[in-house]
Amino acid sequence: MEKNAVFPKLNGLAHGGDYNPDQWLGYPDVFAQDIDAFKKAGINCVSLGIFSWASYEPREGEYHFEWLQHVMDTLYENGIYTILATPSGARPAWLDKKYPECMRVDAYGIRNHHGDRHNHCMSSKIFREKLNNINTLLAQRFANHPGLIMWHISNEMGGECFCPECIAKFQEWLKVKYHNDINELNHAWWTTFWSHKYSCFEEIEPPFWNGETSILGLNLDWKRFTSWNMTDCMNSEIAAVKAYNPDIPVTANLMNFFNGLDYREMAKDIDYVSWDSYPRFHNDWETFDDTMRELACSHALFRGLKPDRPFMLMECTPSLVNWQPYNKLKRPGVMRLQALQAIATGSDTVQYFQLRKSRGSFEQFHGAVIDHAGIDNRVFREIAQIGADLKKIAPVAGTHLKADVAILFDWDNRWAIQDMKGMIYDDKKYERVVIEGWKEFNRAGAEIDIISYNDDFSKYKVIYAPMLYIVRPEVAKALTEFVKNGGQLLCTYMTGYVNETLLAHLGGFPGEGLSDLFGVYSEELDTLFPSDRNHIKFADGTVCEVKDCCEVLKVKDAEILAAYTEDFYKDTPAVTVKKHGKGSAYYYAARVSAKDMVPIFEQMCKDAGVTLEKMPETITRHVRYGEEGTYHFYLNISNQSAEVCAVKGTDLLTGKAVSGNISLEPYGVAVVKAE
Ligand code: GLA
Ligand code: ZN
């Protein structure tokens, strides 16, 4: 067993999901049937209590943990472990009735009514007290249960609260950040503009939608504060459960490219990253291949939040979801492909929402391992096969991926770009650019990490940092060192425009010395209407289409690789490179498709000595490395069979030795332990 495995007690990978037996306490036969089904499906862990506050404490101070005790004990006797949630994902009605300050206030200043979920005020002292009480009781009773393997903090945290307690806390947070000096804040936010100067911190309100939304520095600090405050609330929950057994790790289930919280900051405080994955398979706007590669990119995002350990696929649906505009079934074989892709890209778990369908209410028709009709059906059979497969590839647990290529993506930068007044006002497509870059470079044969601008760049040979709008001095310095040490760096339009509080860099973009690194400066930023096009032409005659935006570039001392072919900046530089010894700094002033950027990416890899492992068109390959073995995952991301050549080792799924070509059935997978 590799030492980094998420769950040493499971002796392999986890197969499980959200399970809500408290909904079925009036149906005594159901629990026994479920355990039987879990065994048939190779389920070795379940997540309990995610929305169970009202079951634990139906009235203030009246507690019922006996059902949980029975469930955890029985599961454990049957070899099934528990991931236990703290119940802050939803509150009992009595709590909101008696303590309305637990309910959030929206961006118009209106207090919510009771209901729904994921909506507590993160600052409310009474809420935190009540939460701490229930968490403490849970931890006292269960933190040392032999079946407990992890705490699951809350559920899919997110959202903002504009209540008086949150506002006061925000003001305190700003005082600390700006050294209790209102003039420092006024300068950082440039508040002389439109006469928005503050004379004291108490005057500052968050960006109410019918209030102050025009100070960009305020908007960004409010997002940072909200993220910090949510993390602070999460940390209070972690402290409560760890007090009774510090050895039980914690996770929080994150959401795909979720905008509302800075996951990089949050991830520092949890032991393992987990995420909930609901791709829209078989949709009518992209190929299946695209959906799968984008999903791999999301896995890379979460893997990158804690790169020294595997992540967890905390939720995915066994068949369909019920909340998308169109809720299509996953085609046969696709759940298995999705499960094995998660493992291939660094997960140690495959977990579902949900293990059993709820009989009524919001999610009664959401996919589940156990259907209303039972388990004699296609979905259950596929889940059981996944359970069997995960056992066969158990040695993969705790192994890791290796990547020489990284893409930079940060929440701070993302929020700043979204709020930037200019370019395309509503959607500057930062996330799209990151995702499409990931997909195309992956198609070209690269394994790619997604990292932060605070990460150590020296681990990588090639870095793509699109739209690096905020540039702080340390980041500029680190990027410069990266290139001077032989790294290949690719940046684009909108690099280095502003500092950490969104003041424009003076003296030319990209700022903080990056203009020297690239040997260019960007004089103007032109935005194209949706149907406008420009083109750029390379020396070898290649022409690429330009959409959305073009910077008008001035070259100081860089080599020009391509120039615009149209408009008043026709023949002026659009793509440049400046060499620094073995390192290179590429600048792409225009937005072209990620596909069109591949030749430069390939050149960068070549110069950096990175081997690209190009696969047949519909195959993706990921490799997990461990002390006990190297595991090559070949995934056929299409509904046609496909061939892979030059494979050597043992396919753990079939148990057969393979040498030479292997054929993968539609959506098929091979996990080859190398010799
Ligand atoms: C989210 C939640 C779950 C469930 C699923 C449904 O991921 O965490 O509780 O509602 O969505 O897809
Ligand atoms: Zn609040």
Side-chain angles (χ1 to χ4, degrees):
M1 189 75 179
E2 303 281 342
K3 66 177 186 312
N4 265 346
V6 175
F7 294 121
K9 279 191 178 173
L10 298 182
N11 231 335
L13 302 160
H15 190 218
D18 289 17
Y19 182 48
N20 302 302
D22 44 327
Q23 292 175 16
W24 297 90
L25 296 178
Y27 298 69
D29 298 345
V30 166
F31 185 42
Q33 287 164 19
D34 289 351
I35 291 197
D36 180 53
F38 295 160
K39 287 183 171 168
K40 291 194 169 107
I43 300 278
N44 56 10
C45 73
V46 306
S47 308
L48 290 174
I50 297 176
F51 298 108
S52 295
W53 197 335
S55 301
Y56 298 143
E57 192 179 5
R59 274 164 289 276
E60 189 171 17
E62 177 189 326
Y63 302 109
H64 293 280
F65 295 114
E66 59 290 341
W67 65 267
L68 180 64
Q69 186 79 50
H70 172 67
V71 170
M72 273 177 79
D73 289 352
T74 315
L75 289 168
Y76 182 61
E77 284 155 19
N78 284 279
I80 300 164
Y81 287 83
T82 293
I83 296 175
L84 186 56
T86 63
S88 55
R91 300 176 308 283
W94 60 259
L95 183 79
D96 285 347
K97 179 122 180 97
K98 183 157 177 199
Y99 308 105
E101 61 270 48
C102 299
M103 294 181 286
R104 259 178 217 173
V105 168
D106 73 11
Y108 287 102
I110 298 170
R111 177 86 60 189
N112 284 355
H113 290 274
H114 169 74
D116 218 338
R117 55 177 183 167
H118 305 152
N119 54 11
H120 56 267
C121 166
M122 300 78 86
S123 308
S124 161
K125 288 182 201 62
I126 187 73
F127 176 69
R128 288 211 185 187
E129 188 188 312
K130 291 286 160 194
L131 179 59
N132 191 57
N133 176 58
I134 195 77
N135 284 342
T136 301
L137 291 172
L138 265 179
Q140 270 171 351
R141 187 149 177 176
F142 299 103
N144 292 292
H145 192 289
L148 180 70
I149 48 172
M150 184 174 270
W151 289 102
H152 176 297
I153 305 297
S154 200
N155 191 70
E156 293 191 336
M157 285 169 260
E160 302 171 303
C161 179
F162 292 73
C163 81
E165 277 184 278
C166 284
I167 295 175
K169 209 165 168 191
F170 180 46
Q171 292 164 350
E172 289 307 312
W173 184 87
L174 290 170
K175 277 186 199 162
V176 173
K177 175 160 184 182
Y178 295 102
H179 311 99
N180 219 352
D181 179 353
I182 197 68
N183 290 328
E184 187 184 329
L185 175 141
N186 278 318
H187 178 260
W189 290 359
W190 209 252
T191 54
T192 311
F193 179 81
W194 285 354
S195 205
H196 285 179
K197 237 178 177 159
Y198 298 101
S199 69
C200 64
F201 283 88
E202 287 69 28
E203 288 164 7
I204 301 171
E205 289 193 326
F208 280 112
W209 286 355
N210 49 351
E212 180 59 275
T213 58
S214 62
I215 302 177
L216 305 185
L218 163 67
N219 296 346
L220 181 57
D221 272 343
W222 171 250
K223 284 201 178 333
R224 289 175 175 141
F225 163 75
T226 295
S227 190
W228 170 83
N229 198 20
M230 186 69 82
T231 307
D232 185 59
C233 189
M234 175 185 84
N235 284 338
S236 73
E237 297 204 60
I238 295 175
V241 296
K242 287 225 173 185
Y244 292 87
N245 184 351
D247 297 337
I248 300 292
V250 302
T251 190
N253 56 335
L254 309 180
M255 293 173 277
N256 196 11
F257 275 88
F258 179 62
N259 191 48
L261 296 170
D262 185 339
Y263 280 166
R264 288 200 192 287
E265 287 300 315
M266 269 182 96
K268 291 179 186 160
D269 297 329
I270 52 181
D271 298 306
Y272 290 96
V273 166
S274 67
W275 79 284
D276 300 345
S277 171
Y278 295 100
R280 297 177 193 209
F281 288 117
H282 321 291
N283 62 51
D284 61 356
W285 64 84
E286 65 184 354
T287 64
F288 185 79
D289 184 295
D290 276 308
T291 312
M292 287 302 291
R293 284 185 206 269
E294 180 158 341
L295 187 49
C297 168
S298 300
H299 288 312
L301 174 73
F302 291 102
R303 182 174 75 230
L305 298 180
K306 276 212 174 293
D308 61 333
R309 52 191 66 180
F311 65 90
M312 300 165 64
L313 174 60
M314 180 59 84
E315 289 181 25
C316 65
T317 176
S319 54
L320 42 63
V321 296
N322 65 336
W323 47 265
Q324 283 170 359
Y326 302 93
N327 297 295
K328 194 161 180 169
L329 291 175
K330 277 179 199 170
R331 273 30 198 167
V334 169
M335 182 59 248
R336 177 173 182 264
L337 177 66
Q338 183 185 6
L340 293 172
Q341 182 200 41
I343 305 297
T345 51
S347 175
D348 259 13
T349 78
V350 174
Q351 294 160 274
Y352 311 101
F353 179 86
Q354 48 194 339
L355 293 184
R356 170 180 273 280
K357 277 185 192 173
S358 55
R359 183 159 185 203
S361 207
F362 204 86
E363 290 175 330
Q364 64 187 145
F365 300 120
H366 190 291
V369 172
I370 304 171
D371 187 66
H372 295 305
I375 58 172
D376 184 12
N377 54 59
R378 171 184 77 88
V379 169
F380 186 84
R381 284 189 284 278
E382 290 194 30
I383 299 298
Q385 158 147 33
I386 295 167
D389 288 338
L390 294 179
K391 280 191 193 131
K392 292 181 191 154
I393 61 170
V396 167
T399 57
H400 59 273
L401 284 86
K402 288 184 190 165
D404 290 323
V405 179
I407 298 185
L408 250 59
F409 175 78
D410 277 289
W411 271 259
D412 242 22
N413 192 51
R414 171 187 206 183
W415 293 333
I417 289 172
Q418 284 165 358
D419 207 27
M420 178 230 188
K421 306 303 171 205
M423 210 256 205
I424 302 171
Y425 199 87
D426 289 333
D427 186 6
K428 300 177 181 67
K429 303 181 192 153
Y430 174 50
E431 299 80 2
R432 252 312 105 205
V433 167
V434 167
I435 293 166
E436 292 304 320
W438 197 98
K439 282 161 56 182
E440 290 309 328
F441 299 169
N442 173 253
R443 261 191 192 111
E447 187 61 83
I448 309 147
D449 284 348
I450 299 186
I451 62 167
S452 154
Y453 44 41
N454 298 317
D455 281 330
D456 175 11
F457 300 154
S458 68
K459 275 170 43 190
Y460 298 96
K461 295 181 175 159
V462 174
I463 292 181
Y464 175 37
M467 300 172 79
L468 191 61
Y469 179 65
I470 293 185
V471 169
R472 288 179 286 110
E474 315 84 80
V475 175
K477 197 164 156 257
L479 287 172
T480 306
E481 258 164 42
F482 170 74
V483 173
K484 297 223 157 125
N485 290 332
Q488 306 289 315
L489 174 68
L490 172 57
C491 285
T492 68
Y493 50 88
M494 286 177 73
T495 294
Y497 281 25
V498 294
N499 73 5
E500 201 262 349
T501 64
L502 305 181
L503 296 181
H505 285 305
L506 301 177
F509 303 149
E512 291 293 359
L514 288 183
S515 172
D516 291 337
L517 181 68
F518 293 102
V520 300
Y521 71 93
S522 160
E523 199 171 75
E524 295 181 272
L525 172 64
D526 191 20
T527 307
L528 308 187
F529 280 95
S531 64
D532 286 343
R533 295 289 180 269
N534 201 325
H535 291 86
I536 57 173
K537 188 168 181 185
F538 287 84
D540 68 0
T542 309
V543 174
C544 307
E545 185 180 78
V546 175
K547 283 185 192 171
D548 296 345
C549 73
C550 305
E551 276 181 344
V552 183
L553 216 55
K554 289 285 172 306
V555 168
K556 299 195 287 192
D557 55 352
E559 187 188 331
I560 299 168
L561 301 177
Y564 292 106
T565 64
E566 283 143 67
D567 222 316
F568 77 91
Y569 37 88
K570 179 173 191 278
D571 295 332
T572 67
V575 183
T576 60
V577 63
K578 182 170 168 184
K579 301 274 179 194
H580 298 261
K582 288 202 165 117
S584 320
Y586 287 85
Y587 196 88
Y588 238 102
R591 182 177 280 172
V592 300
S593 73
K595 211 177 217 62
D596 283 341
M597 296 175 87
V598 167
I600 282 195
F601 173 70
E602 286 172 338
Q603 185 64 48
M604 291 166 76
C605 289
K606 194 166 163 222
D607 294 344
V610 175
T611 320
L612 294 172
E613 301 274 354
K614 201 158 175 155
M615 288 285 115
E617 217 181 306
T618 65
I619 302 289
T620 61
R621 168 183 168 276
H622 300 277
V623 185
R624 286 186 69 161
Y625 299 86
E627 278 169 13
E628 290 159 28
T630 301
Y631 307 90
H632 297 249
F633 286 73
Y634 299 94
L635 307 156
N636 179 5
I637 53 174
S638 84
N639 61 2
Q640 306 292 315
S641 5
E643 290 271 307
V644 192
C645 347
V647 179
K648 202 165 170 49
T650 307
D651 184 346
L652 298 183
L653 293 172
T654 60
K656 290 192 183 133
V658 287
S659 178
N661 288 11
I662 53 169
S663 163
L664 294 177
E665 61 186 21
Y667 305 131
V669 180
V671 182
V672 178
K673 182 172 183 195
E675 270 169 10

